[in-house]
Amino acid sequence: MSRIKLSYRMRLNSDAIFSSGHSIPGGEDISLRMTADNKPYMPGSTLKGLLREQLENWLVWNGLSNDAVQETLVLLLGEADRGGVISDRRLSFLDLHITDTTPETDWYSSRTFTALEDGIVKPGTLRSASCLNRGLEFTGTVFCDEQDKELVENSLKCIKRVGLLRNRGFGNVSISVQNMKIVKAFDTVRTITSASCLKYRIRLETPLAVTYVAREDRYRQEAGDQRQEASNYMETLNCIPGSTVRGMVVSWLAQNEPEWFENHKELLLGESTRFLYALPVVNDVVTLPTPKGFYADKQEKEFYNILNEKKVQPGHKRASIGAYCTITDNKIKGYTPKTQSIMRIQCGDDKQVFTTTALLPGTVLEGCIQLDHPELAEYITQAFQETIWLGANRYAGYGCCEVLSLDADTNINYSTSYTQKDIIPETLYMMAVSPITMTKNGEIAGIDIEQLKAMLDVDTLKIEMCATSIVEVNGFNRTWKCASPAVIMYDSGSIFQLKCSPAPQVDKLLELERTGMGIRRSEGFGQIVFIKDFENLERIKESEKKTKQLTNEQIVRQARCRWLTENKLPKEWPSMSKSQIGELQQCCERAIATHDDSEIFDFFDHNEKNRGARHGERFVETGKILQQILKNQTLKDTLHLPDNVTCKDDMKERLRLVCDWIDLSRKGDGRA
């Protein structure tokens, strides 16, 4: 059966809250989950959880036994097991994004909530939340096997509630499947039957997370007792390791070409086939890890590397260049891929909250697969479908990548490398493109001079200076279902100043760049490059950073939050009592429902004129403020918005501002 892509549309029949798990200081206690370009969305992992529940219900309603139901759920949605077998029929989900036709001004509204105790408001429980307005539409995608199309479509239609506060009427939705598309193999323009190097370029369609270090328990000593504490943060790599791409290729071949894979797996998994790191692409140029050892003064006017200066000048610090760089005409320009932080909840009984980071959608990366046996290329290229999935949580909206290109090449070419036309000096600068370490007599040895000297075919070799950092490389063995032994390596960007005698031949340098050095080269480790004219590198001075441009809606929301936090109800005598404030808010809520604010002004007129002067004093100041907000000036003037900013201005919006003003004025001061 072939894989298909189902596109569906979700309409909000009531207000909904897609919570990010964070609050906005001075604003909402519950904020919405937003993309990097400030658009609301619902994660694919959330939809996956909702679909699992409805899928189970649908199977039970159709008379399947409990064992058959659980077997189908595991087959389609998998198990919470790191080493679980990947099924051909596993469902994959993309995030749900708001349709572009929806005006931004109609996306949000603010709501307030309290807890009740014995029928009255419980003190200190007032909370505000940002809600998505009813009527909005979101689109999403689920990848499934063709034989499961009807089952998935029916289960999607059964989802009726999403988001927070569903028991209070929020999150009522209706879902309809829009269209179906068959997923095809990537069109490589020509059939690649043989190649010594396959070069591919991909673009992230969803966030991608390749965790740097596996989440593990750590210990600390406190008050004389040893206590276990679980780490709740996982960092992601800002590139794609070769082992990640290798896992994707191997899994596809093992499932779709089992006979060929069984006969060729030793070649495919050995060091004669090397899956190199996929690095970010900037302005159509592949970057390199930024060389270490660059320092600058605090104003970043002086810039130098310690391999030439030999020491750091007083008061200077490491230069902030970026994780990656491009080098052109002896000019170095830094770049750091953008990431986003995502709060999640761990499966299991403890339900622990933890945070992960992920590369943003739109990031372009390029990598290579080097083949000492060119005939393997014909089958490896088949694993590159038009859409591939990499990294963690790839069945829950992460790691969806579009293959932009896949070409045969003779070798990976670095723009900073030496060529046949260059005269090779005796002093060389060797940089680690990926983590690297060598072994000697079965032990980790860092850089083994004797081995490196033999590779370069020189009489003498010495490391004169170096600028390095180390990293602990972990892994997971799916065969034995346990963590692989950790290895300490020199990190990417570590650079070594080598003194050779005589100068090596250029062919030796290029061959070492092609094959790499050290251990685990099949996973992309040990990749190096010799940087030409490293001692002459200068930094490109970046122009002044542009101020981040806020959207019209963001400016309005910030101004609204600022007004609410800066303005409070009068508290000193003469001021309204708690019951009178509650009565006023009741009038405002009725006015929102009836679209008639006359009751509010009748309330003030009655209390100021008909119940005595002393009683009326309580209402004068608050009445003037409400008169100004509701009648005398526009909402734009009330919030002090700039002339070029527009906002929705009607009775309902002004009354909501008044209700939030009353709520937040009482919050935390004992008047709730």
Side-chain angles (χ1 to χ4, degrees), residues 586-631:
Q586 187 180 31
C587 292
C588 292
E589 295 288 357
R590 279 198 295 265
I592 292 175
T594 62
H595 303 284
D596 182 8
D597 60 359
S598 59
E599 182 182 358
I600 299 174
F601 296 101
D602 291 342
F603 169 80
F604 278 98
D605 188 65
H606 171 71
N607 282 284
E608 288 181 23
K609 299 178 181 179
N610 300 337
R611 302 191 62 183
R614 183 171 177 81
H615 178 85
E617 287 181 47
R618 290 175 174 267
F619 299 85
V620 173
E621 187 173 353
T622 304
K624 289 180 179 178
I625 298 174
L626 260 68
Q627 178 71 25
Q628 188 176 25
I629 295 174
L630 299 177
K631 295 294 184 182

Side-chain angles (χ1 to χ4, degrees), residues 26-81:
E28 295 96 358
D29 296 292
I30 304 174
S31 64
L32 291 174
R33 190 180 289 268
M34 308 290 283
T35 61
D37 54 353
N38 295 297
K39 293 183 178 180
Y41 77 101
M42 190 176 83
S45 57
T46 301
L47 195 280
K48 179 183 177 183
L50 295 169
L51 184 67
R52 177 185 285 271
E53 179 181 353
Q54 298 305 325
L55 182 60
E56 183 175 6
N57 291 338
W58 182 268
L59 295 173
V60 171
W61 294 337
N62 282 273
L64 270 71
S65 65
N66 184 62
D67 291 341
V69 169
Q70 295 306 316
E71 182 181 350
T72 304
L73 290 176
V74 170
L75 189 64
L76 297 182
L77 298 170
E79 294 179 286
D81 179 9

Side-chain angles (χ1 to χ4, degrees), residues 170-233:
F170 286 83
N172 178 251
V173 300
S174 55
I175 296 179
S176 59
V177 176
Q178 300 296 305
N179 54 64
M180 179 194 77
K181 178 184 177 183
I182 298 177
V183 179
K184 300 179 181 178
F186 176 71
D187 184 7
T188 59
V189 181
R190 62 183 185 277
T191 302
I192 302 177
T193 57
S194 178
S196 58
C197 181
L198 291 172
K199 186 177 295 183
Y200 60 88
R201 182 171 291 192
I202 59 177
R203 179 175 56 225
L204 304 188
E205 295 296 306
T206 64
L208 180 141
V210 181
T211 49
Y212 195 54
V213 178
R215 185 168 179 257
E216 57 184 337
D217 294 333
R218 66 179 187 269
Y219 295 87
R220 68 180 183 181
Q221 198 79 11
E222 182 174 334
D225 297 324
Q226 193 175 47
R227 188 178 73 179
Q228 181 174 337
E229 180 190 8
S231 172
N232 64 347
Y233 180 78

Side-chain angles (χ1 to χ4, degrees), residues 436-452:
I436 180 174
T437 191
M438 304 172 75
T439 58
K440 185 176 183 180
N441 299 325
E443 300 290 335
I444 298 298
I447 301 296
D448 184 1
I449 296 295
E450 293 301 320
Q451 290 187 51
L452 184 57

Side-chain angles (χ1 to χ4, degrees), residues 428-639:
L428 299 172
Y429 294 90
M430 181 181 73
M431 187 185 75
V433 180
S434 61
I436 180 174
T437 191
M438 304 172 75
T439 58
K440 185 176 183 180
N441 299 325
E443 300 290 335
I444 298 298
I447 301 296
D448 184 1
I449 296 295
E450 293 301 320
Q451 290 187 51
L452 184 57
K453 183 173 69 172
M455 294 174 182
L456 294 176
D457 193 18
V458 295
D459 295 335
T460 61
L461 177 65
K462 179 184 178 182
I463 299 179
E464 292 193 323
M465 288 283 293
C466 64
T468 66
S469 64
I470 61 174
V471 62
E472 185 179 54
V473 177
N474 297 291
F476 184 80
N477 190 308
R478 294 188 180 274
T479 301
W480 299 101
K481 297 186 178 181
C482 64
S484 302
V487 180
I488 303 297
M489 295 186 176
Y490 287 114
D491 200 3
S492 304
S494 296
I495 192 159
F496 303 86
Q497 186 184 55
L498 307 178
K499 182 68 175 180
C500 308
S501 179
Q505 298 295 317
V506 65
D507 292 339
K508 296 295 182 181
L509 301 183
L510 297 178
E511 178 65 14
L512 195 54
E513 289 182 349
R514 188 185 75 84
T515 61
M517 52 190 279
I519 63 174
R520 298 173 64 171
R521 289 180 292 136
S522 62
E523 303 173 45
F525 295 103
Q527 188 180 353
I528 63 165
V529 61
F530 291 94
I531 300 182
K532 182 171 55 178
D533 299 325
F534 178 79
E535 61 275 8
N536 298 323
L537 288 183
E538 297 180 0
R539 181 178 181 179
I540 296 178
K541 294 183 178 180
E542 298 181 4
S543 58
E544 295 184 3
K545 294 182 179 180
K546 297 181 179 180
T547 304
K548 183 179 179 180
Q549 297 295 321
L550 299 177
T551 64
N552 185 90
E553 182 63 25
Q554 286 178 304
I555 296 174
V556 173
R557 295 183 72 198
Q558 286 187 358
R560 194 177 189 277
C561 291
R562 183 168 56 249
W563 188 91
L564 289 171
T565 54
E566 292 177 353
N567 294 274
K568 302 293 182 182
L569 276 169
K571 296 180 181 179
E572 303 298 330
W573 173 264
S575 64
M576 297 169 62
S577 66
K578 290 189 290 185
S579 61
Q580 291 164 346
I581 294 173
E583 189 176 355
L584 171 61
Q585 187 167 10
Q586 187 180 31
C587 292
C588 292
E589 295 288 357
R590 279 198 295 265
I592 292 175
T594 62
H595 303 284
D596 182 8
D597 60 359
S598 59
E599 182 182 358
I600 299 174
F601 296 101
D602 291 342
F603 169 80
F604 278 98
D605 188 65
H606 171 71
N607 282 284
E608 288 181 23
K609 299 178 181 179
N610 300 337
R611 302 191 62 183
R614 183 171 177 81
H615 178 85
E617 287 181 47
R618 290 175 174 267
F619 299 85
V620 173
E621 187 173 353
T622 304
K624 289 180 179 178
I625 298 174
L626 260 68
Q627 178 71 25
Q628 188 176 25
I629 295 174
L630 299 177
K631 295 294 184 182
N632 294 347
Q633 62 183 17
T634 63
L635 189 58
K636 183 174 181 178
D637 291 335
T638 299
L639 301 179

